[in-house]
Amino acid sequence: MKKNNLRSVIFAGLLVAIGIVLSSILSISYPPNSTIIRFGIGYLPLILISIILGPKIGFSAAIIQDILGYFVYIWIYGFPAGPFYLGFTLNSILYGVIPGLVYNLKIKDINIFKYINFVFILILIGLGVWGIFNIQDIIASIEARLEEGQAFSPIIIYLMIIIGEIGLIGMLILLLKHRLDDDYSHRIILTIIILQIIITLGLTPLWVSQLYGIPFWPQLPIRIIKAPIEIFIYSILLIRLVKILNTYRIDKV
């Protein structure tokens, strides 16, 4: 038992370190050097910890990653990415807790996750269509936040919407054709959708509004563009990674 606990701690520590690197170095911002639209998979290791080791360890790992990540960013770049704010710590905690709860939830009807995903993906596709018809308003809201001399091309925004829609339609086709081979794949997709709705579309714009005085509602169109892309990327990566890690689970060694 103690040996397995030690392995779990080491495994979680490695994933936390990977998460800090992904968040600090391998995230992409558009326009460059801005925080208007930021893509990354820094929370992916936390989700893996929560699913593989459970939400309790995920809770602890989330706090550690958030605090260490803040100081590592300062150490690398010489300045903070922003003020340390407990709201963003809560975001990390949700990434470390919700996946483990959903993944291990006891439900008699295993198809319920597939049905819920189907509805959510249709809603997200609808939001993408809304974004296409309101693209000029979205571009105007981005341009209003640009700093002097910052490069920006509206074509990139069109591409983001198209990529997000293609990804969601692809996931919808997989659901309709029952190509996902187990219930747990549906749980992973639902987890990512829930996290994106709560955090990307809900909590994060609220924290930004409180910190910087940027109104809540004008932030949503930009985040509606971002959410489908991250849902697609996270889902594809996590489904594969969870299958691999479950094959070599540390508690079975």
Side-chain angles (χ1 to χ4, degrees):
M1 182 63 70
K2 290 183 179 179
K3 190 175 182 181
N4 286 338
N5 288 339
L6 178 60
R7 287 172 175 163
S8 297
V9 170
I10 294 173
F11 178 73
L14 288 172
L15 285 179
V16 165
I18 292 171
I20 291 173
V21 171
L22 291 175
S23 299
S24 302
I25 300 175
L26 299 179
S27 59
I28 300 173
S29 298
Y30 190 80
N33 301 318
S34 76
T35 57
I36 297 175
I37 303 178
R38 189 171 184 176
F39 295 95
I41 54 173
Y43 289 117
L44 187 144
L46 281 182
I47 298 173
L48 287 174
I49 291 172
S50 185
I51 290 175
I52 302 299
L53 300 178
K56 290 183 180 180
I57 297 180
F59 176 87
S60 302
I63 295 175
I64 293 170
Q65 178 171 318
D66 184 72
I67 295 174
L68 281 182
Y70 179 80
F71 291 105
V72 167
Y73 190 96
I74 295 175
W75 178 66
I76 293 174
Y77 297 102
F79 55 87
F84 183 81
Y85 189 66
L86 289 177
F88 295 119
T89 305
L90 175 60
N91 288 2
S92 295
I93 290 173
L94 293 177
Y95 273 103
V97 172
I98 290 178
L101 295 177
V102 175
Y103 194 79
N104 296 292
L105 191 64
K106 303 298 182 182
I107 297 289
K108 291 184 178 180
D109 184 2
I110 61 173
N111 290 316
I112 189 67
F113 296 101
K114 179 179 66 179
Y115 300 144
I116 295 174
N117 286 337
F118 182 80
V119 173
F120 272 135
I121 291 174
L122 283 178
I123 292 172
L124 289 168
I125 290 174
L127 288 175
V129 172
W130 174 88
I132 293 173
F133 283 101
N134 292 272
I135 189 69
Q136 294 304 322
D137 293 335
I138 294 173
I139 291 172
S141 68
I142 295 173
E143 290 176 336
R145 295 172 57 186
L146 292 175
E147 297 178 2
E148 186 176 351
Q150 219 167 26
F152 172 70
S153 172
I155 295 176
I156 301 298
I157 304 303
Y158 282 100
L159 288 175
M160 287 181 183
I161 294 178
I162 292 171
I163 291 170
E165 290 292 275
I166 291 174
L168 289 173
I169 291 171
M171 292 174 66
L172 186 63
I173 292 173
L174 287 176
L175 289 174
L176 290 173
K177 292 188 174 182
H178 307 282
R179 290 183 180 176
L180 296 178
D181 55 4
D182 58 53
D183 170 55
Y184 290 103
S185 296
H186 295 287
R187 292 171 183 252
I188 291 172
I189 294 174
L190 178 59
T191 295
I192 302 306
I193 293 174
I194 290 172
L195 289 170
Q196 286 290 321
I197 291 174
I198 294 175
I199 297 173
T200 300
L201 300 182
L203 293 179
T204 298
L206 178 62
W207 308 145
V208 170
S209 176
Q210 292 178 356
L211 276 172
Y212 303 107
I214 300 172
F216 179 91
W217 294 108
Q219 297 181 60
L220 290 186
I222 301 172
R223 298 185 180 279
I224 288 172
I225 292 175
K226 171 187 173 179
I229 299 175
E230 291 199 337
I231 289 171
F232 176 71
I233 294 173
Y234 268 94
S235 297
I236 295 299
L237 290 175
L238 283 167
I239 289 172
R240 183 60 180 164
L241 287 172
V242 169
K243 286 182 179 179
I244 293 173
L245 290 174
N246 275 332
T247 303
Y248 301 99
R249 287 196 60 160
I250 54 178
D251 58 356
K252 293 181 180 179
V253 177

